[in-house]
Amino acid sequence: MFAFIARQPILDRQRDVFAYELLFRDGKNNCYPDEVRDERTESLIAKHYLTLGLDDISCNKKSFINFQKETLVKGLPSVLDPSNVVVELSDALLPHDTLLDVCRQVKNSGFTIALDDHNLDPKWNEFLPFVDIVKVNVMQSDYDGVARSMPRLLDANVKLVAEQIDTQQDFEVYRDMGFDYFQGYFFAKPEAIKQQNLPTSKLTLIELMGASSSETFDIERVNSVIEHDVGLSYMLLRFVNNPMVNKRYKITSLRHAITYMGEVELKKFVALLALANLNDDKPVELLHLSLVRAKFCDLVACEAKKGDNPPVGFLVGLFSLLDAVLDQQMDTLLNQLPIDDEVKFALSGGQNDLSIYLVLARAFESANWLKVIRIAGLLKIDQKRLHSMFNQAIVWGNGLRQSVSAHFPETQP
């Protein structure tokens, strides 16, 4: 079980999540921690901080993990399941011959192997028979050099991961070149800035977002919008009956939901529902990342004793990727979205408490532990407590993700 951890998604050519790379703060250089704690220390961590297993953190996807050289030489932990773990090996980790021996050993143990930060030097060709995946950092390799190496890599029958893919253009370029998987936050960027006027169907969803950001809540208006849209009705019931939200009662309507959940919690789910419908032609991971940010910022806001009506922490996290969802400039969207001024200020690049929560969420996503420590001091929140909150947000996001499906009923004309 791990208390201090981050993850970064690896997407396939259809922009679906194939795996997550896991980054461990309680291990050297973000590697899998190999120190042996005594039972008392393990008990204290489990009691005070939410700890996650690999399935929790990876949402039952494969886990790409780096290991310290000592761990590789003496053998991988027996608790790891070779069917779910991809072992990342780097040419900077061990001497060439030693690394080749480790590669054989890991392969014979049944693990999938990824050669990390591959520099395309032909001297690594002898590793290819033992390697299943090759990761290429495209920011450290020129395009022509990568293109010249593609026939050799494809002939080796390995899968290829392009790292540091941070724009839609880069994704398309390296996908067309023949890469299988892509690591980076390209999916969280607008594909192209489109027309400024949103279609009527999306404006309705924007209106629902605005309703969730108001101190008052027009239940009649919201109920009317949802009742007349079978897709919205279906997804609302899936959300509010998800075990992460409601473990006891079967909710059958919006009015039943507000009676059970209360106004503030329902506001969060109306906003979430609207965003999920806006996200219908985007990677699910974009919504998933929004969910984790929303829950994390909400938990931090509660810890900081910030007002919860409207639930500004939740909303700033949830709407933080709205520009990527709608492929529009954030400022353009904010002019059309009737949300709380404090949330709008943070989303437009202003500096306030809410913008600090977003910076903190991004620090966790990128495993920037020094920034996490610095912001923890600024907020006067114990950094271990923040790790626990982020873990909780991941578990919550994983649970809610199961309620998001591309196969819900189409809206009736």
Side-chain angles (χ1 to χ4, degrees):
M1 301 292 283
F2 309 100
F4 314 119
I5 197 169
R7 68 181 187 185
Q8 295 177 356
I10 300 173
L11 277 63
D12 64 18
R13 295 169 65 86
Q14 288 72 45
R15 300 185 300 173
D16 294 325
V17 173
F18 163 66
Y20 289 96
E21 179 171 1
L22 307 189
L23 306 166
F24 300 83
R25 183 186 159 192
D26 43 343
K28 292 184 293 186
N29 300 319
N30 287 330
C31 292
Y32 187 97
D34 69 348
E35 67 271 22
V36 178
R37 297 190 183 99
D38 58 57
E39 291 185 8
R40 181 173 179 274
T41 302
E42 291 281 10
S43 177
L44 286 173
I45 289 177
K47 179 179 179 180
H48 294 288
Y49 308 105
L50 176 65
T51 55
L52 302 180
L54 294 187
D55 287 344
D56 295 321
I57 195 76
S58 294
C59 200
N60 295 308
K61 302 291 185 180
K62 289 185 179 294
S63 301
F64 278 59
I65 301 176
N66 280 282
F67 294 88
Q68 299 169 33
K69 60 183 179 181
E70 296 85 0
T71 305
L72 291 170
V73 170
K74 70 183 181 183
L76 296 173
S78 60
V79 297
L80 298 178
D81 182 355
S83 65
N84 292 330
V85 172
V86 178
V87 178
E88 294 200 14
L89 299 177
S90 169
D91 57 344
L93 192 63
L94 291 165
H96 188 93
D97 291 342
T98 305
L99 185 61
L100 188 57
D101 288 339
V102 166
C103 202
R104 293 191 185 99
Q105 176 185 328
V106 172
K107 186 68 173 179
N108 289 336
S109 298
F111 287 91
T112 300
I113 298 176
L115 190 59
D116 194 19
D117 286 331
H118 186 47
N119 62 9
L120 305 176
D121 191 319
K123 72 179 182 179
W124 298 106
N125 286 354
E126 61 184 313
F127 282 77
L128 296 182
F130 307 101
V131 169
D132 305 279
I133 299 169
V134 172
K135 300 181 74 178
V136 179
N137 188 326
V138 300
M139 297 299 290
Q140 297 176 0
S141 306
D142 67 278
Y143 175 87
D144 291 337
V146 176
R148 284 194 300 270
S149 298
M150 287 300 291
R152 171 169 55 88
L153 294 172
L154 293 174
D155 286 344
N157 197 29
V158 295
K159 296 294 185 180
L160 300 175
V161 178
E163 297 181 278
Q164 299 295 316
I165 301 296
D166 290 327
T167 68
Q168 292 290 338
Q169 182 179 8
D170 285 344
F171 165 68
E172 292 168 5
V173 164
Y174 288 97
R175 179 190 60 191
D176 293 345
M177 188 184 287
F179 278 81
D180 302 284
Y181 305 112
F182 309 87
Q183 187 169 355
Y185 285 96
F186 67 95
F187 66 90
K189 305 287 180 63
E191 292 187 40
I193 302 302
K194 298 180 180 178
Q195 77 280 0
Q196 294 192 0
N197 294 323
L198 293 172
T200 303
S201 60
K202 293 192 174 182
L203 284 174
T204 300
L205 298 173
I206 292 291
E207 183 180 353
L208 286 180
M209 287 181 166
S212 66
S213 184
S214 171
E215 288 189 15
T216 59
F217 192 68
D218 189 344
I219 182 64
E220 298 300 334
R221 172 58 184 154
V222 173
N223 194 59
S224 176
V225 170
I226 292 177
E227 282 185 342
H228 287 83
D229 189 313
V230 65
L232 286 174
S233 299
Y234 176 79
M235 290 193 74
L236 172 72
L237 295 180
R238 289 197 67 184
F239 279 131
V240 298
N241 286 296
N242 187 288
M244 295 300 299
V245 179
N246 163 30
K247 297 181 179 179
R248 299 179 62 188
Y249 301 104
K250 180 73 173 178
I251 305 297
T252 58
S253 68
L254 178 66
R255 294 184 184 280
H256 188 186
I258 196 170
T259 301
Y260 173 74
M261 299 172 66
E263 183 174 312
V264 172
E265 288 301 310
L266 190 62
K267 284 180 179 180
K268 297 176 186 177
F269 284 96
V270 167
L272 194 159
L273 181 67
L275 187 69
N277 278 263
L278 288 173
N279 195 76
D280 58 0
D281 61 347
K282 289 288 187 171
V284 174
E285 184 63 18
L286 183 60
L287 177 60
H288 194 179
L289 186 58
S290 300
L291 292 176
V292 175
R293 285 187 182 183
K295 185 64 174 180
F296 177 68
C297 291
D298 190 41
L299 291 170
V300 175
C302 290
E303 188 79 5
K305 295 181 172 56
K306 201 163 186 67
D308 65 353
N309 193 6
V312 289
F314 185 90
L315 295 174
V316 78
L318 190 68
F319 297 164
S320 62
L321 296 167
L322 193 59
D323 54 343
V325 171
L326 293 172
D327 294 322
Q328 295 207 9
Q329 297 282 6
M330 183 66 84
D331 287 344
T332 300
L333 292 171
L334 293 177
N335 288 335
Q336 303 176 69
L337 185 59
I339 60 175
D340 181 270
D341 287 341
E342 192 177 8
V343 174
K344 186 176 292 189
F345 185 67
L347 293 176
S348 65
Q351 294 188 356
N352 58 12
D353 289 344
L354 299 180
S355 64
I356 293 174
Y357 304 163
L358 273 181
V359 171
L360 181 59
R362 294 187 186 107
F364 272 102
E365 292 163 7
S366 61
N368 189 335
W369 306 127
L370 290 178
K371 184 173 285 188
V372 169
I373 293 170
R374 186 165 65 249
I375 297 177
L378 181 65
L379 296 176
K380 296 182 172 55
I381 300 175
D382 181 80
Q383 57 181 287
K384 293 180 180 179
R385 174 72 180 138
L386 289 174
H387 277 279
S388 179
M389 292 177 190
F390 195 71
N391 287 358
Q392 186 176 342
I394 285 175
V395 172
W396 187 86
N398 289 351
L400 264 292
R401 179 175 182 160
Q402 297 171 9
S403 295
V404 180
S405 170
H407 306 293
F408 62 88
E410 294 292 334
T411 302
Q412 298 299 313

